[in-house]
Structure formats: structure tokens, C-alpha cells
Amino acid sequence: MRQRKSFERLEGVRPARLIVIAAEGRYTENIYFEAMKTAMCASDVHVEVLRRDTNESNPDNVLRQILNFQNVYELEDDDQLWIVIDRDRWPEQMLAAVAQHCAQGNHLFFCVSNPCFELWLLLHLEDIAGYSNDQLCLLAANKKTTKRSDTWSKNRLKTLMGSYHESDYDTSRLLPHVNKAVERAERLDVKPADRWPQTIGTRVYLLVKSIMGDQK
């Protein structure tokens, strides 16, 4: 059997707990978690955000990316490998297969946002508990009004932030409110035993809490 490599962690804090993140999106998630890594990561945690060269991705590809990392590097008992994906456009059968793989594998965590990762960003800026029924329906559907337009959630972020693009946005407008986002996401997670949120919700709060050193 080929010997796995030892992953180079932060100097001075070895054995730092390693959190590896593979996300469906090419930019949006990476921008956010790289900012967290710099500004809000616990001192005994090392965050590694895996990158992709194209926008072509699906839950199977994200799982494969994280498994490739696991096959190459040695992991400590408390290391975590996170798969971050959106619920919005994937067949339930595909999500279920990835969820089952995570449930059966060591170190693997399945992190789904319904409908999308932008919900997690929105929760930094407003509590969707105050949305009207019409707004909740628009968020849940998260459709584009035209082929060239953005989804409802991206347009909402533009309104709240003044400027937003999935490959270019200001995380300093968000991170000061991360604790509010965690609280709001926890309240949305009404069935935490489900493999992923069946209604509007996001499990990103679990990953964020782990990055900040809270493993409860």
C-alpha cells in the first residue's frame, strides 16, 4: 500500500486540528472560507480550502475531490473533511448517495445549504424569520428572472451589500456578523437529524463553529 503524505500544518500548533473544505462553487465558498481562515480561525485549527479550475461540478465531483485528499494525506483522529454543496438543482438520489458515503466514512461531514450557499451569506445581514410568505417562496425557488439575470438570493445580497458577485464580494461586510448568522441558521435547522435541510436552511453554521473552535 502506498504510504500517505504527512500534511504540513501551521507551525507551532502541531498537532493542529485540520479542517479541509471542498465546495461545489468555484469562487463564492472559497472567498468566504479563506477570509474566515485569516480572520476568525481558532489558533489550534488549520483550514485548507481545496480549489477547482472549472465551474463544472456536482456533489459526486466534490466528494471525489475530498476523497482524493484523504487518499494522499495522513489524517489525525480529530481532523475533518467537509463537503459543501447546494440543494437547489441536484436530484435527491445524488445527494443521498453522497450523504450515505459521508455517514459511513471517517472524518467526512456533509454540509448542504437549501437552496444555496448565498442563504448563509444572507443570514449575516438579516433574519429571514422576518420575511413575508412571498419572500420565503422566492428564496426557496431562487430562480432567475431572465437567462442573464442573477438568482433571487444574489439579487438580495446586491441590495443589502450594495455590490455582490459570486467571484468578487466584500467579506468584511459579513464576518463581523458571523455569530448572528450561526444563531439564525441554528433556528432554521428544525430537524438536525435529517441528512440535509428539507426546507430553507443551511448546515454551514456547523462548519463555521468548528473553524472557530466550537466542536459541540
Side-chain angles (χ1 to χ4, degrees):
M1 180 179 293
R2 178 173 51 83
Q3 187 175 3
R4 294 177 180 175
K5 300 178 183 178
S6 178
F7 188 82
E8 185 175 349
R9 307 178 190 221
L10 293 174
E11 293 183 4
V13 295
R14 184 173 175 82
R17 181 166 58 89
L18 178 64
I19 295 177
V20 183
I21 302 169
E24 177 186 337
R26 184 180 179 187
Y27 299 112
T28 311
E29 296 91 334
N30 286 13
I31 290 171
Y32 182 87
F33 290 118
E34 288 289 356
M36 272 214 80
K37 176 180 178 178
T38 301
M40 306 194 73
C41 185
S43 61
D44 61 346
V45 171
H46 180 110
V47 174
E48 188 71 15
V49 183
L50 304 184
R51 298 188 177 277
R52 289 185 297 99
D53 295 329
T54 70
N55 289 322
E56 298 299 322
S57 185
N58 59 45
D60 289 338
N61 290 338
V62 180
L63 173 62
R64 191 175 301 113
Q65 184 180 32
I66 209 81
L67 291 179
N68 287 341
F69 182 96
Q70 188 176 28
N71 289 333
V72 170
Y73 292 102
E74 294 178 350
L75 297 175
E76 303 292 338
D77 290 343
D78 58 350
D79 291 341
Q80 300 176 352
L81 308 176
W82 288 81
I83 296 170
V84 180
I85 60 177
D86 295 344
R87 170 66 186 93
D88 56 2
R89 61 192 177 98
W90 303 117
E92 184 165 330
Q93 184 177 2
M94 180 181 290
L95 294 177
V98 176
Q100 183 177 3
H101 197 112
C102 291
Q104 295 174 344
N106 294 329
H107 306 287
L108 295 172
F109 293 81
F110 191 48
C111 181
V112 177
S113 297
N114 188 354
C116 60
F117 185 80
E118 280 79 10
L119 169 63
W120 170 249
L121 303 184
L122 281 171
L123 292 176
H124 292 68
L125 303 174
E126 61 184 1
D127 189 349
I128 70 168
Y131 278 15
S132 66
N133 287 336
D134 287 345
Q135 286 177 306
L136 290 173
C137 288
L138 289 168
L139 173 57
N142 201 37
K143 293 180 178 179
K144 296 181 178 182
T145 54
T146 66
K147 288 185 178 181
R148 294 187 177 183
S149 67
D150 284 326
T151 59
W152 190 91
S153 59
K154 290 177 182 178
N155 281 324
R156 185 63 182 165
L157 283 168
K158 283 182 181 179
T159 299
L160 295 172
M161 299 179 69
S163 174
Y164 175 82
H165 189 274
E166 61 186 28
S167 63
D168 183 18
Y169 63 95
D170 185 3
T171 56
S172 69
R173 298 281 304 276
L174 303 172
L175 292 182
H177 311 293
V178 68
N179 289 325
K180 287 183 179 179
V182 168
E183 293 172 4
R184 291 163 178 169
E186 285 180 322
R187 289 199 298 270
L188 289 174
D189 198 4
V190 293
K191 293 184 177 180
D194 286 355
R195 292 176 294 179
W196 63 82
Q198 300 300 311
T199 56
I200 293 173
T202 175
R203 297 273 167 80
V204 174
Y205 75 93
L206 295 172
L207 169 53
V208 166
K209 288 173 69 173
S210 186
I211 292 172
M212 294 192 297
D214 183 355
Q215 298 190 71
K216 296 179 181 178

